[in-house]
């Protein structure tokens, strides 16, 4: 069924929606809210390095340096070309 959140295609779409919302919030300096949306994107699809990279930047701007470091490390693990 198309609305089943356990369906990989649905989860991927949901992750992209939350990512886009998160990026928009980030670009408007709403770092805490961006972090929430990016965390949801990661929850739906933890295989996308860019999700971790942007959430790391949101954490960095909130002075959450350990969380930022963990996100940057995961982003690089997923995609060393970043």
């Amino acid at each position: 069924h198309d609305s089943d959140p356990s369906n990989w295609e649905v989860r991927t779409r949901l992750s992209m929606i939350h990512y886009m919302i998160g990026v928009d919030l980030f670009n408007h300096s709403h770092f805490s809210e961006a972090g929430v949306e990016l965390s949801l994107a990661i929850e739906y699809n933890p295989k996308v390095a860019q999700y971790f990279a942007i959430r790391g930047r949101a954490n960095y701007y909130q002075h959450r340096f350990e969380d930022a470091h963990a996100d940057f490390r995961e982003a690089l693990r997923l995609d060393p070309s970043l």
Side-chain angles (χ1 to χ4, degrees):
H1 189 261
D2 283 347
S3 65
D4 181 2
S6 65
N7 177 303
W8 180 247
E9 187 175 325
V10 172
R11 292 180 66 80
T12 299
R13 289 179 187 172
L14 288 169
S15 77
M16 291 188 315
I17 290 166
H18 286 288
Y19 171 73
M20 290 186 292
I21 294 168
V23 168
D24 187 57
L25 289 165
F26 179 90
N27 288 338
H28 289 93
S29 300
H30 300 293
F31 303 119
S32 179
E33 295 91 339
V36 170
E37 291 296 330
L38 294 161
S39 291
L40 286 168
I42 290 166
E43 185 177 318
Y44 282 116
N45 186 356
K47 299 178 182 180
V48 181
Q50 193 63 29
Y51 296 176
F52 286 94
I54 298 296
R55 188 176 72 174
R57 292 178 63 200
N59 282 327
Y60 178 85
Y61 287 123
Q62 294 176 83
H63 301 268
R64 297 177 58 195
F65 301 118
E66 288 183 24
D67 291 336
H69 183 255
D71 281 342
F72 293 145
R73 285 185 56 163
E74 184 62 12
L76 288 171
R77 185 189 72 76
L78 291 167
D79 183 356
S81 71
L82 285 178

